[in-house]
Amino acid sequence: MKRLTYTALAIALSTSANAATLKWAGTTDPQTMDPHAVISTPVLGFLNNVYEGLVRRGKDMSIEPALATAWEPIGNGEGWRFHLRQDVTFHNGATFNADDVVFSYERASSPAADTKGWFAPIAMVKKVDDYTVDFLTKAPNPIFPDSIANWMIMDADWAKSIGAESPNKEAGNAATLQANGTGAYELSKRQPGLETRLKKYNDWWGEDIGNITEAVFTPIQNPATAVAALLAGNVDMINPVPIQDAQRLETNGQVKVIKGIEARVIMLGFAQQAETLKYGTDQGKANPFLNPKVREAVAKSISVPAILRTIMRGNAQPASQLVSPDMRGYSTLHDARPEFDVKEAKSLLAQAGYPEGFSFGLKCPNDRYLNDEAVCQAVTAMLAKVGIKADLDAMPVRNYWPELRADNFDMYLVGWSPGTFDHEHPIRFLASTPNSEKSLGSWNFGDYSNSRIDELLPQIQSEIDDTKRQAMIDEVVGLYQSEFAYVPLYIQPLVWGTGNNVSLTQRPDNFFILRWASVN
């Protein structure tokens, strides 16, 4: 098995014990303060400062204790027992105990929760006593503790008192604008789209914390505005730094540019069950993307090296799978990606019955991923050269996810960062046949389906032998690659900018953890 190697880039500057305020900006405002409503990085990354789970990831991405101090397998693969941390309080002063864990499981695994897929392997959760909880699995599940690093615990009584027993990612509820966690920082002000303020929680149980006593997040969608704010000292950190500005900022003595590679693969997805096209001049005609030859033609029409050279300025890496090579379960057997070949793409289209190409709709966010709209514009131009004419519709991410969930697309751009840093994660969310009852395929917007992958997933989840497990993952990768279920493009780079007086840790999950930051 390929061993995991995660590089957490720590910026080692002198620190100060003096209290400080940190102001930071990003292109995407967290959609909600509800930790179970949306599992996007802007939401989970922000809320990891406010809420906590039973386990968490350290600076090197390893799993470490959080609200659980220890855990061990139960019996012969029957599940996991977690021993809870005592003397922990929520931000409203309520005591944390097993009732909150059971409630948070029931809430996070409910049909309305975006997190429900995390708990597909769980058969039952039992409170043993006030500080012991058992998670009983449907089959042996050796990776379960790793899979819940971003599952956050809510105060059961508080959630019930504000009418937020269940999440509501579309309409929202009281937990959309309020928060009550156990984390190092508590929410003091929330103005969606304008400003969100956090303050240090003085009764936090932990000790690993810098000198930030107040933090202010401001969404700034315009990259030039964000850079100007950093250079003027109006913000202490921006994420991301526009690729085109990185080199210029690196020569500026007032700021620092922090680079890395995220665990996120950017890819194209297709409507694979829709009978007709929904957009473009061929709207209403038979859906060409039902044919794998057409999907292969799309893959061969796109020059990923050109995108990396011109749009990403050499800061990204090409992708061939749903995970990057640093992830557990990456298939070295299938590490080659489709070659850019316009002639072959045209031949494939002709074989599929589209010698003159066709017109369709491409949906894309314009404020979610680094240079996302520019990438979609490049893809549109490349597809046009083989006769595939895309009607590009780029929009803010707050509008984008509802469009995808409503099946309002022919093709779309999406990025995926596996929360477990394991290939099983995107197989479960992106490559499994959507099944709400089993909490599978919840981000498989295009409804890709392969019965063999569905058969292999539970075996991958329960297999303890690494060699046997990798062989099954290799088979899955071979299947989704051969069917061109998705077209992986590249692994997204990380490019952050800070003032010279800021120290922080950059992790490959692109989470900005405030307790590791200091302003001097």
Side-chain angles (χ1 to χ4, degrees):
M1 183 195 74
K2 183 180 178 68
R3 293 186 62 84
L4 298 179
T5 57
Y6 310 125
T7 303
L9 176 59
I11 307 305
L13 302 175
S14 60
T15 60
S16 169
N18 297 329
T21 296
L22 182 140
K23 299 178 181 179
W24 90 103
T27 54
T28 305
D29 192 45
Q31 184 177 337
T32 179
M33 294 292 102
D34 189 325
H36 307 147
V38 178
I39 59 173
S40 69
T41 295
V43 172
L44 297 180
F46 187 91
L47 290 181
N48 257 266
N49 294 300
V50 178
Y51 285 96
E52 295 176 298
L54 299 183
V55 300
R56 68 187 183 193
R57 293 197 180 276
K59 293 181 179 181
D60 62 353
M61 298 306 299
S62 62
I63 291 294
E64 61 184 31
L67 293 181
T69 57
W71 51 93
E72 70 267 351
I74 302 171
N76 187 24
E78 297 171 13
W80 291 85
R81 171 164 291 181
F82 289 83
H83 302 277
L84 307 184
R85 191 177 299 277
Q86 301 187 32
D87 301 321
V88 173
T89 59
F90 289 93
H91 297 155
N92 67 350
T95 301
F96 160 74
N97 60 32
D99 293 330
D100 302 306
V101 176
V102 174
F103 167 80
S104 295
Y105 160 74
E106 293 172 346
R107 189 179 192 274
S109 62
S110 67
D114 215 16
T115 51
K116 58 183 178 294
W118 298 350
F119 301 98
I122 300 300
M124 181 187 303
V125 174
K126 294 172 57 178
K127 172 184 174 181
V128 178
D129 57 43
D130 282 348
Y131 293 98
T132 311
V133 179
D134 286 347
F135 287 74
L136 304 180
T137 53
K138 299 171 185 175
N141 195 300
I143 65 170
F144 178 69
D146 283 50
S147 74
I148 57 170
N150 289 322
W151 172 46
M152 303 176 213
I153 305 301
M154 297 181 74
D155 177 359
D157 292 338
W158 175 79
K160 293 173 184 176
S161 72
I162 64 171
E165 293 92 336
S166 297
N168 190 328
K169 61 188 170 190
E170 303 301 343
N173 58 29
T176 303
L177 297 175
Q178 303 177 52
N180 180 36
T182 60
Y185 292 88
E186 58 182 307
L187 184 68
S188 58
K189 183 179 182 181
R190 171 64 173 163
Q191 291 181 292
L194 297 175
E195 179 183 275
T196 305
R197 288 179 174 265
L198 302 176
K199 63 179 181 180
K200 181 180 177 182
Y201 179 46
N202 292 322
D203 291 328
W204 184 54
W205 56 268
E207 297 178 352
D208 183 14
I209 190 167
N211 70 342
I212 306 301
T213 55
E214 183 181 36
V216 183
F217 173 78
T218 303
I220 301 178
Q221 186 173 350
N222 186 293
T225 303
V227 170
L230 178 65
L231 291 174
N234 295 329
V235 296
D236 302 297
M237 182 266 198
I238 62 172
N239 176 22
V241 169
I243 289 290
Q244 63 271 20
D245 293 319
Q247 186 173 4
R248 174 169 66 92
L249 292 184
E250 284 177 326
T251 62
N252 186 300
Q254 298 176 323
V255 300
K256 289 184 175 289
V257 176
I258 308 159
K259 293 183 178 181
I261 293 294
E262 195 178 353
R264 184 177 309 281
V265 172
I266 304 297
M267 66 194 85
L268 296 170
F270 308 90
Q272 299 192 39
Q273 298 297 328
E275 294 183 1
T276 60
L277 291 170
K278 297 180 179 178
Y279 300 94
T281 57
D282 288 331
Q283 179 182 2
K285 293 183 179 180
N287 178 12
F289 298 122
L290 297 179
N291 191 326
K293 288 184 181 295
V294 173
R295 302 195 296 268
E296 183 178 0
V298 169
K300 290 183 177 295
S301 301
I302 299 171
S303 174
V304 170
I307 291 175
L308 301 189
R309 184 177 62 255
T310 60
I311 299 176
M312 293 299 169
R313 309 290 177 96
N315 288 286
Q317 300 173 358
S320 63
Q321 302 172 31
L322 302 182
V323 296
S324 72
D326 283 337
M327 301 299 103
R328 183 187 184 202
Y330 178 83
S331 178
T332 55
L333 188 65
H334 300 289
D335 61 354
R337 70 174 322 280
E339 292 291 336
F340 173 57
D341 191 332
V342 170
K343 183 178 179 180
E344 177 64 15
K346 290 181 178 180
S347 174
L348 287 164
L349 288 173
Q351 294 172 42
Y354 299 94
E356 303 302 322
F358 58 90
S359 174
F360 74 101
L362 170 60
K363 289 289 174 75
C364 181
N366 59 16
D367 63 353
R368 175 61 190 92
Y369 310 116
L370 199 59
N371 289 347
D372 42 15
E373 184 174 7
V375 169
C376 285
Q377 290 170 342
V379 167
T380 298
M382 292 173 183
L383 293 178
K385 293 181 179 179
V386 301
I388 305 177
K389 296 172 284 293
D391 183 0
L392 175 59
D393 184 11
M395 65 191 69
V397 72
R398 65 178 180 274
N399 301 326
Y400 188 62
W401 299 134
E403 286 288 280
L404 295 193
R405 295 191 182 282
D407 295 329
N408 292 332
F409 60 87
D410 296 319
M411 190 165 83
Y412 61 95
L413 184 83
V414 71
W416 194 259
S417 177
T420 59
F421 280 59
D422 191 296
H423 210 142
E424 178 274 339
H425 194 268
I427 294 173
R428 179 173 17 131
F429 282 92
L430 301 180
S432 294
T433 302
N435 186 318
S436 57
E437 183 178 337
K438 295 182 178 180
S439 300
L440 297 174
S442 57
W443 283 68
N444 180 1
F445 300 117
D447 296 320
Y448 168 70
S449 180
N450 183 296
S451 59
R452 179 57 176 163
I453 292 178
D454 294 340
E455 179 185 351
L456 285 170
L457 176 61
Q459 299 177 48
I460 291 169
Q461 291 173 327
S462 61
E463 182 55 62
I464 298 175
D465 185 285
D466 286 337
T467 302
K468 293 179 180 178
R469 185 178 191 268
Q470 187 60 51
M472 290 187 284
I473 292 176
D474 288 341
E475 182 179 351
V476 168
V477 176
L479 288 169
Y480 73 61
Q481 281 186 341
S482 66
E483 295 180 332
F484 293 87
Y486 295 88
V487 177
L489 299 175
Y490 56 88
I491 304 160
Q492 179 164 278
L494 291 172
V495 190
W496 297 3
T498 73
N500 272 335
N501 61 337
V502 176
S503 64
L504 52 77
T505 295
Q506 184 187 74
R507 297 194 317 193
D509 59 1
N510 201 20
F511 285 13
F512 177 36
I513 305 300
L514 279 168
R515 61 189 175 86
W516 294 333
S518 292
V519 176
N520 306 309

